[in-house]
């Protein structure tokens, strides 16, 4: 067995210490196997679900809540389209991971020119830094609901997350955050208890309609960004690679990815519907407190507390994983050491990128911009970058030289291209609109 | 007087230093000007003797797996209009920074066919993973350097520095300039040519690269953990099974599990068979029952039976952590005979720290530490040694279902480096070593890869 040096705790010095750690350590692998067994029965406990859960982070909640308050049920059909897009995109990402055994970062470096690699990595870094900003803004918003100013919370929270990840007791913290973020599973209950107009909901889900207003386009791009975010694809592929999934197990992996994507979108839909029936039609979302009102049917006066709880858990959870996954992809593409247990001297790029993202995220989150605006803004940025990353994904999955028989067939290729073009079209419309707005022509 | 000598010596020193620096600068300029950057070559115009452009260079072909220490360039691939054509190396006059001149005015173009051991440098090696044997890490080739050597061009080194990546992102003028800041000698890297056809067998042995054999098992384990799937399997194929097995024993359990699942079953079975029994049992425990059976079925029956016996014990007990590698002796043997027996077991030296003495019925009599064997006379029978050792009390033994925490207490109390695991009849089943107990007791340390977040 390996006994390599690391930054871990020193060996227990006394027999008593040995005793106290013995049971825990020897059972940890047994427990992991037990989990593995459950996962084999229902692979749903795989990365798909984790990724889906990470998707409902602070910025996601803000975007969905804003959709509900501004357009009531008007965005539901669009969300159905986004669900289809997410399912296809996630499927492509895990297919690449399962068939090549390499992460997206490595694949892009090996299959594209260096300049195109730099573009992809740059886009991912930009999008992810935006996400990190939104996570810290979410932590700030959660504490402001409890009456603590954000400038007092965000810097220590950033330092704490950074230290937890680098000095390796993050596993415990992660579990706590995960349990906290389960608060958001009260949304489906809130939706039912909030007595929405089910007929309206059904009609909006099934009947195709899009509103040609500039506000709608902005929010639509934010919805795309928060659901089909660039980091999600990297994360999904990395998850499959690290579990050592083989091409033979691809059917299970695909089921996991598809279920995860659908599940995430169903949760998103419940958030939109619950918010719509609580504060629908009151114009754009004003504050986190307003968003928390959607949970009143469940928690009554404790709604704000419950909301703050979930927001804090989800934000903290993603606040570590998001910067890590970007650093990981960049390290993979550059071909340098990537492990959080290395010293700065050994893995300067990996740890530097990780640290820079957290620092930048915390600083931007402290700017006195309205929190909700900031959260939605970061998701719009994701939505603008998303099509660029999707193009890489599409080109890679079309390559027979890479995937052989698992490459996209002609029909799938048309469908996937349509998805990418659709996403790109929304982003382009928004860009044109914004530029026209600056020029005063809109 | 004194000041003038001091002053004089200082100026002399300064002058010497300047001369030295100049020497170094010229030397590095000379090296730099003789090196040709592959990244800068790709896309450059290929001209014939008359100076007319024939086409553009798209790739360089080199014989990577061959008898030469540095892979020779065997040809170029050109794009002429929409056609891709192959030019053998002997028609090339000059390979320089950003341009290629041919020796003749007429070129004979052929379609490219891969010959054994050849790879396309830009497509298969540049930007792909390789093992840096000196730095003990997996990196990606940021650039490859070619240099003229006795009438032909060879691949001499790999650049792995980040500034070189930035240079390649820059304008064309930067791209062609070689920047050998952190260059690895080609002798000290193990490249992977996914597409390369294997050369003849004796060449493959060379390709298995003596350099790789310099690596310690723990370093190899690190490298295996960092490689992509196909590269990992390729590297395993180059290693001798014994060496590979030693490395596998050092790997993180989750990574090892992935590696065994993605290898060909025959190969995986061979590797597990070569591992020490206790490590092999650990590795098999992590696999799913079907996969485990697949591997066990492909092993020699005796080894598979032994592993099945070990797998019957629960994890976290002495039986689950013990090694079955025991050196046994009988009372009537002499110390010299036992030493000869130990010498025969040299490959398992990490698993043996004492010799078990059995009676005629196969029950445990004593456990003789190696120290006592070393200091004993060659001719003395074991009976004497056992009698002498009896004053220190009976050997410390455990039943196989003892919890590891309890085993650790016994080990600490006995002040020994290993304990014997015996069945109800007092027959030794195996030995539990101090390092196995440490592995089980120490919490997972350091090495927190991003992947741990994904499980």
């Amino acid at each position: 067995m390996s006994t390599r040096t690391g930054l871990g705790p020193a060996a227990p010095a006394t027999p008593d210490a040995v005793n106290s750690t013995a049971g825990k350590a020897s059972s940890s692998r047994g427990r992991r196997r037990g989990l593995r067994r459950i996962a084999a029965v229902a692979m749903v406990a795989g990365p798909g679900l984790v990724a889906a859960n990470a998707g409902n982070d602070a910025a996601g909640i803000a975007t969905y809540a804003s959709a509900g308050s501004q357009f009531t049920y008007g965005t539901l059909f669009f969300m159905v389209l986004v669900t289809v897009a997410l399912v296809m995109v996630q499927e492509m990402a895990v297919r690449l991971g399962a068939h090549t055994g390499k992460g997206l970062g490595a694949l892009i470096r090996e299959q594209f020119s260096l300049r195109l690699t730099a573009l992809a990595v740059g886009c991912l870094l930009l999008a992810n830094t935006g996400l990190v900003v939104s996570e810290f803004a979410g932590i700030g918003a959660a504490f402001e609901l409890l009456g603590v100013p954000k400038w007092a919370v965000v810097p220590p929270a950033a330092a704490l997350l950074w230290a937890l990840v680098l000095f390796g007791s993050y596993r415990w913290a992660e579990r706590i955050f995960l349990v906290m973020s389960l608060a958001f599973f009260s949304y489906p209950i809130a939706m039912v208890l909030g007595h929405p107009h089910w007929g309206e909901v059904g009609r909006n889900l099934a009947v195709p309609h899009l509103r040609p207003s500039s506000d709608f386009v902005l929010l639509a791009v934010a919805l795309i960004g928060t659901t089909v975010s660039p980091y999600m694809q990297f994360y999904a592929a990395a998850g499959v690679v690290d579990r050592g999934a083989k091409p033979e197990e691809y059917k299970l992996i695909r089921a996991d990815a598809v279920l995860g994507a659908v599940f995430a979108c169903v949760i998103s839909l419940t958030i939109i519907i619950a918010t719509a029936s609580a504060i629908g039609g009151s114009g754009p979302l004003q504050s986190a407190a307003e968003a928390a009102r959607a949970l009143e049917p469940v928690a009554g006066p404790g709604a704000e507390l419950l909301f703050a709880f979930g927001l804090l858990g989800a934000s903290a959870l993603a606040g570590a994983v998001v910067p890590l996954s970007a650093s990981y992809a960049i390290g993979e593409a550059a071909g340098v050491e990537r492990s959080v247990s290395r010293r700065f001297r050994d893995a300067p790029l990996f740890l530097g990128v990780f640290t820079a993202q957290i620092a930048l995220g915390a600083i931007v989150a402290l700017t006195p911009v309205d929190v909700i605006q900031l959260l939605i803004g970061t998701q719009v940025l994701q939505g603008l970058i998303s099509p660029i990353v999707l193009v890489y994904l599409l080109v890679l999955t079309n390559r027979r030289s890479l995937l052989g028989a698992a490459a996209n067939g002609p029909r799938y290729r048309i469908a996937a291209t349509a998805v990418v073009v659709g996403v790109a079209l929304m982003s382009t419309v928004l860009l044109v609109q914004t530029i026209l707005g600056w020029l005063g022509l809109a | 007087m004194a000041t003038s000598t001091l002053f004089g010596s200082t100026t002399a020193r300064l002058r010497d230093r300047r001369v030295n620096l100049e020497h170094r600068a010229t030397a590095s300029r000379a090296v730099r000007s003789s090196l040709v950057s592959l990244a800068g070559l790709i896309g450059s115009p290929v001209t014939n003797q008359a100076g007319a452009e024939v086409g553009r260079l798209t790739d360089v072909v080199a014989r990577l797996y061959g008898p030469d220490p540095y892979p020779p360039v065997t040809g170029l691939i050109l794009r002429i209009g929409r056609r891709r054509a192959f030019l053998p190396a002997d028609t090339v006059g000059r390979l320089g920074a950003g341009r290629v001149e041919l020796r003749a005015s007429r070129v004979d173009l052929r379609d490219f066919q891969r010959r054994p051991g050849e790879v396309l440098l830009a497509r298969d090696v540049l930007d792909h993973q390789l093992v840096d044997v000196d730095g003990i890490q997996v990196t990606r080739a940021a650039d490859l350097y070619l240099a003229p050597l006795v009438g032909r061009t060879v691949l001499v080194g790999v650049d792995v520095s980040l500034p070189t990546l930035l240079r390649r992102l820059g304008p064309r003028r930067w791209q062609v300039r070689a920047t050998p800041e952190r260059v690895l000698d080609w002798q000290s890297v193990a490249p992977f040519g996914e597409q390369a056809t294997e050369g003849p067998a004796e060449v493959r042995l060379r390709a298995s690269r003596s350099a790789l054999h310099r690596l310690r098992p723990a370093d190899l384990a690190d490298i295996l953990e960092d490689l992509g799937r196909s590269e990992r399997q390729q590297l395993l194929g180059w290693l001798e099974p014994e060496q590979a097995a030693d490395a596998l024993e050092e790997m993180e359990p989750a990574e090892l599990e992935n590696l065994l699942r993605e290898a060909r079953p025959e190969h995986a079975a061979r590797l597990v068979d070569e591992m020490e029994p206790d490590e092999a049992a650990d590795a098999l425990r992590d696999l799913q029952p079907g996969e485990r059976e697949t591997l066990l079925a492909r092993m020699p029956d005796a080894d598979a039976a032994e592993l099945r016996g070990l797998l019957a014990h629960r994890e976290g007990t002495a039986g689950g952590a013990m090694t079955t590698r025991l050196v046994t002796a009988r009372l009537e043997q002499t110390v010299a005979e036992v030493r000869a027996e130990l010498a025969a077991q040299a490959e398992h030296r990490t698993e043996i720290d004492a010799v078990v003495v059995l009676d005629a019925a196969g029950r445990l009599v004593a456990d003789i530490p190696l120290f006592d064997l070393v200091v004993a006379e060659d001719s003395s029978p074991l009976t004497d040694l056992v009698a002498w050792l009896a004053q220190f009390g009976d050997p410390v033994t455990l039943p196989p279902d003892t919890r590891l925490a309890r085993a650790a207490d016994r080990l600490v109390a006995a002040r020994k480096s290993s304990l014997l695991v015996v069945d109800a009849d007092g027959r030794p089943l195996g030995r539990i070593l101090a390092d196995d107990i440490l592995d089980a007791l120490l919490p997972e340390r350091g090495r927190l890869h991003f992947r741990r977040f994904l499980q």
Side-chain angles (χ1 to χ4, degrees), chain A residues 54 57 128 131-136 139 157-171 173-175 177 231 235 312-328 340 350 353-355 357-358, chain B residues 448-450 453-454:
Chain A
D57 55 357
N128 267 26
L131 255 185
V132 178
V133 170
S134 72
E135 306 309 344
F136 284 122
I139 292 176
L160 188 71
L161 268 182
W162 180 84
L164 274 177
V165 171
L166 254 49
F167 303 113
S169 44
Y170 183 76
R171 306 286 295 164
E174 190 182 36
R175 285 180 198 140
F177 297 148
Y231 121 88
Y235 190 77
L312 186 60
S315 303
L317 192 66
V321 174
V322 169
L324 258 185
S325 87
S327 315
Y328 195 74
V340 288
F350 177 84
V353 168
F354 175 70
T355 307
Q357 282 180 99
I358 290 203
Chain B
L448 181 62
H449 274 269
F450 171 67
F453 286 81
L454 296 162

Side-chain angles (χ1 to χ4, degrees), chain A residues 325-387:
Chain A
S325 87
S327 315
Y328 195 74
I330 288 167
E332 210 176 29
V336 294
E337 282 287 359
R338 27 176 208 287
S339 149
V340 288
S341 64
R342 298 270 191 262
R343 297 198 177 80
F344 261 87
R345 212 165 19 120
D346 301 333
L349 186 74
F350 177 84
L351 295 174
V353 168
F354 175 70
T355 307
Q357 282 180 99
I358 290 203
L360 210 79
I363 290 167
V364 178
L366 283 175
T367 51
V369 182
D370 171 46
V371 168
I372 302 294
Q373 287 305 315
L374 188 67
L375 289 178
I376 295 176
T378 56
Q379 298 313 293
V380 171
L381 177 71
Q382 303 265 348
L384 292 177
I385 291 173
S386 186

Side-chain angles (χ1 to χ4, degrees), chain B residues 143-159:
Chain B
D143 199 353
L144 301 177
Y145 291 129
L146 308 167
L149 180 87
V150 207
R152 55 183 191 174
T153 311
V154 295
L155 172 58
V156 288
V158 186
D159 190 329

